[in-house]
Each structure stands twice: as structure tokens, then as C-alpha cells.
Amino acid sequence: QANVTSYGATILAVITLETFAGVWINAFIVCVLCIAWVRKKTLNSSEKILLLLGCSRFCYLGISWVYSFLSTIYPNYLYVHPIFQIVLIILSFSNCSDFCVSTCLCVFYCIKIANFRKRFFIYLKVKIDMIVPWLLLGSEIFSMAVGIFVHDFADKAQCNNSTQPGNLSKVNIKVDEHFFPLHFFIDLLLFTSFTAVIFSAVFLLFSLWRHKRKMQTNSMNGLSVDAHIKAMKSILSFFIMYSINFIVMIVTMIYSTKEGSLTFILVYVFLRALPGVHSLILIFSNPKLLKTLLRILPCVKLRVCVK
């Protein structure tokens, strides 16, 4: 039976609004790219990465809302085998896929746009379009492996605890204590992605600085500078997102046994907002997506006025 306080209902309402916005933003990215795929019969490398990123975030936001809904409205059902394990494996898979694919996009921008004359870098620039599908496949296989590992971990943690209804709060705390090593593993993954983003940003900044110096001496055009700046905006948004995520994940580890605390709830609400906000930044930095969005908005506004 549902037993929800006004405080819990308010938090769930906020998370629902965040999820609704994030799902529609990522659904827009996926739909636009799928339509382009059907029309052109192909997608370029950045579009492939964006498509998979949109799918990962769509799945992550949807399943995280299911987790929030069950934990708030029907907490007894969430920890019934195998509901908890199924929710957790999908949540872990989509979250890990989000981090891996977004890192691939950041590295892709760096390799594709930065100008260095090192032999290995030139080789990567030539072969990057062939490497991207394998990177994405590897990311999904790795994410699936993480999801299976989390499933087994949750299954063992839950089996080691009493699941009687009267001990549910104790079960939640014990399961969270079991998941402390898992939080550490996720933070390690986040730190690795964060490091890749930092190196990509540094390489692009150095490349942009060198290119601007050449322009000043040789009176070259600014098309490459525009490409550098657009890539830098995307990578800086990644950098900000990963920085916030890294801090938030550490706070989550500290407060992992205090689910009712205000800090934990604020962290949880904040984490649900990031996928939608960052996907919106990607839309505004992509000319094709932005053009489609601007073309759709007047139609939506007209329909609302007619109704």
C-alpha cells in the first residue's frame, strides 16, 4: 500500500518534471537523427555517437524515474526479487553507456578538429571514422558487462539481508553499505572519462592557439577557428558536466547510508537534471539539430494557440 508524505510527493514531482523534459529533449535528438538516417541511408561519425548518446540518456532517465517512483510510492515492491535487480541492471547499463559514449564524442571532436603533425595523431585523424563504430560497440559491451556485474552484486547483497517488511529500512541501509565498493568503481569510471575530457580540452586549446598564431602571420581564413570554437564549447560543457558529476558522486558515497537526508535528495534531484541540460547544450551546438528545432517550435506554438 502506498504511503507517501507531502515531502516525498514534492521530490517525486520535481524528478518527474526533470525526467519529462530530459526524455523529450533526448527523444528529439534520436528522432531527428533516425529520420536523417532513413533519408540518407547513412550517418556520419558524430551523428552515430549523438544517436547512441540520446538513446542511452532516454533509457537512463526513464528507468531512473521508475526507480524514484517505486522507492517513493511502493518501496516494498522495489526490493522484491527480481524487480530490484532488473531496475538496477538497466540503470547501470544506461548510465555507464552515457559516460562512455559522451567520452567518445569528446575524444572524437578533439581528434577530428585539432591540428597536430605527430604521426600517430595523423593516423587517428584518417582512421577515426572507421574506429568510431568499434568504439561504440566496445562501449556498449563494457556497459553490459558492468550491468551484469551490478546485477550479481545486488543479488548477493539482497540475499544476505532479511527481506521481511518490518526490517525494510534496515535492508535498505545494508544494501547501500554493500554498494559502497560499487560507488567507488563508478567514480573510477567517471574519473577516467573526466581525464579524457581534460586532455581533449587541453589539446584543442593548444591547437586553437597555434592556429590563431598562424592566421595572424599568414592571413588565413577563420573557418577552422570557428570549428575549434564550436568543439571547445561542446568539450567545455562536457568538462563542466563531468566536474559536477564527479563532485556529486563523491557526495553520494558519503551520504549513501542516509537516503532520507536533504543533501542526498538534492544530489539525487541534481543528477537527474544533468542529462537533459547537457543534451540541450548539444542541440544548440549542432547546426542540423538546432535548425530542426527552430523549424519545429513555430509549428508547436501555432498548434497551442489554435487549441
Side-chain angles (χ1 to χ4, degrees):
Q1 185 178 359
N3 182 20
V4 188
T5 64
S6 59
Y7 186 67
T10 303
I11 297 300
L12 182 61
V14 173
I15 292 174
T16 301
L17 289 174
E18 290 177 341
T19 302
F20 181 79
V23 163
W24 274 104
I25 290 169
N26 286 282
F28 169 78
I29 294 175
V30 172
C31 289
V32 171
L33 293 177
C34 284
I35 292 171
W37 193 0
V38 171
R39 287 178 177 175
K40 299 190 302 181
K41 308 298 182 183
T42 185
L43 291 175
N44 60 42
S45 296
S46 63
E47 290 172 339
K48 291 175 184 176
I49 301 174
L50 285 173
L51 177 60
L52 190 55
L53 184 61
C55 292
S56 300
R57 288 179 171 173
F58 182 90
C59 181
Y60 172 73
L61 288 167
I63 197 66
S64 64
W65 181 86
V66 171
Y67 178 84
S68 302
F69 177 80
L70 289 176
S71 60
T72 304
I73 307 296
Y74 300 108
N76 291 337
Y77 293 162
L78 183 61
Y79 291 94
V80 174
H81 187 86
I83 296 176
F84 181 62
Q85 285 80 0
I86 292 173
V87 170
L88 204 59
I89 189 174
I90 300 174
L91 190 62
S92 302
F93 168 77
S94 56
N95 192 25
C96 183
S97 177
D98 180 2
F99 283 124
C100 292
V101 176
S102 57
T103 304
C104 288
L105 182 61
C106 184
V107 174
F108 171 80
Y109 282 147
C110 177
I111 293 174
K112 199 73 176 177
I113 296 173
N115 294 314
F116 294 104
R117 296 185 178 181
K118 299 294 182 182
R119 184 174 299 178
F120 181 69
F121 194 86
I122 294 174
Y123 173 81
L124 287 178
K125 187 182 285 286
V126 172
K127 298 291 185 179
I128 187 64
D129 291 321
M130 297 174 59
I131 295 173
V132 164
W134 294 104
L135 281 176
L136 297 180
L137 179 62
S139 298
E140 297 309 295
I141 292 174
F142 176 74
S143 301
M144 181 60 69
V146 170
I148 294 171
F149 170 74
V150 170
H151 174 274
D152 293 339
F153 203 86
D155 199 42
K156 292 177 182 178
Q158 194 173 20
C159 288
N160 290 336
N161 293 287
S162 171
T163 56
Q164 296 180 3
N167 296 331
L168 184 64
S169 61
K170 294 180 180 179
V171 171
N172 292 351
I173 292 174
K174 288 181 180 179
V175 170
D176 285 330
E177 288 173 350
H178 278 289
F179 275 106
F180 187 83
L182 188 60
H183 282 302
F184 179 79
F185 175 77
I186 293 172
D187 282 344
L188 183 62
L189 172 65
L190 182 60
F191 179 75
T192 304
S193 301
F194 185 53
T195 304
V197 170
I198 291 174
F199 275 107
S200 298
V202 169
F203 285 144
L204 265 176
L205 278 172
F206 184 67
S207 176
L208 177 61
W209 175 72
R210 286 180 56 190
H211 189 75
K212 288 193 73 173
R213 284 187 59 190
K214 288 183 180 179
M215 281 184 58
Q216 292 172 353
T217 56
N218 301 330
S219 301
M220 297 166 62
N221 61 54
L223 293 178
S224 182
V225 172
D226 292 338
H228 273 81
I229 292 173
K230 287 181 180 179
M232 278 304 306
K233 288 179 180 178
S234 297
I235 290 180
L236 284 175
S237 67
F238 278 112
F239 177 78
I240 294 170
M241 185 190 75
Y242 278 123
S243 300
I244 296 171
N245 257 299
F246 193 69
I247 295 170
V248 166
M249 285 292 185
I250 293 174
V251 174
T252 304
M253 287 179 63
I254 296 172
Y255 288 91
S256 61
T257 59
K258 302 177 182 180
E259 285 202 17
S261 67
L262 179 61
T263 304
F264 185 88
I265 292 170
L266 290 175
V267 163
Y268 192 75
V269 169
F270 191 77
L271 278 175
R272 295 302 171 270
L274 284 177
V277 172
H278 187 253
S279 294
L280 192 62
I281 294 172
L282 291 177
I283 290 174
F284 282 106
S285 62
N286 186 288
K288 180 184 292 185
L289 293 174
L290 181 59
K291 184 179 179 181
T292 306
L293 180 63
L294 295 176
R295 192 169 63 245
I296 290 174
L297 284 178
C299 298
V300 175
K301 186 177 180 180
L302 180 63
R303 290 182 181 179
V304 171
C305 293
V306 170
K307 290 181 180 180

